[in-house]
């Protein structure tokens, strides 16, 4: 069995990738890009933070 993994951005850009051997992958994160992505993601914009009781 061969396993590998990666850490993509929400748009699919791979920031780090592991090979088939066990390993720890570290990447530098651009916090300005994180802030921009958080404003662009519709799921974060459209979330409902309260639950209203039915009438």
């Amino acid at each position: 069995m061969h396993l590998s993994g990666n850490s993509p951005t929400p748009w699919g850009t791979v920031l780090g990738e592991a090979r088939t051997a066990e390993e720890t992958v570290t990447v530098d994160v651009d916090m300005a890009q994180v802030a921009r992505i958080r404003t662009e993601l519709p799921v974060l914009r459209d979330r409902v933070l309260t639950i209203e009781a039915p009438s």
Side-chain angles (χ1 to χ4, degrees), residues 13-34:
T13 304
V14 175
L15 300 177
E17 190 165 13
R19 294 179 289 276
T20 56
E22 183 177 327
E23 63 183 301
T24 300
V25 177
T26 59
V27 297
D28 292 324
V29 176
D30 179 352
M31 295 310 290
Q33 183 180 25
V34 170

Side-chain angles (χ1 to χ4, degrees), residues 3 7 14 16-18 22 28 32-33 36 40 42-44 46-48:
L3 299 175
S7 297
V14 175
E17 190 165 13
E22 183 177 327
D28 292 324
Q33 183 180 25
R36 183 179 54 77
E40 293 175 2
V43 70
L44 296 177
D46 297 342
R47 69 184 186 246
V48 177

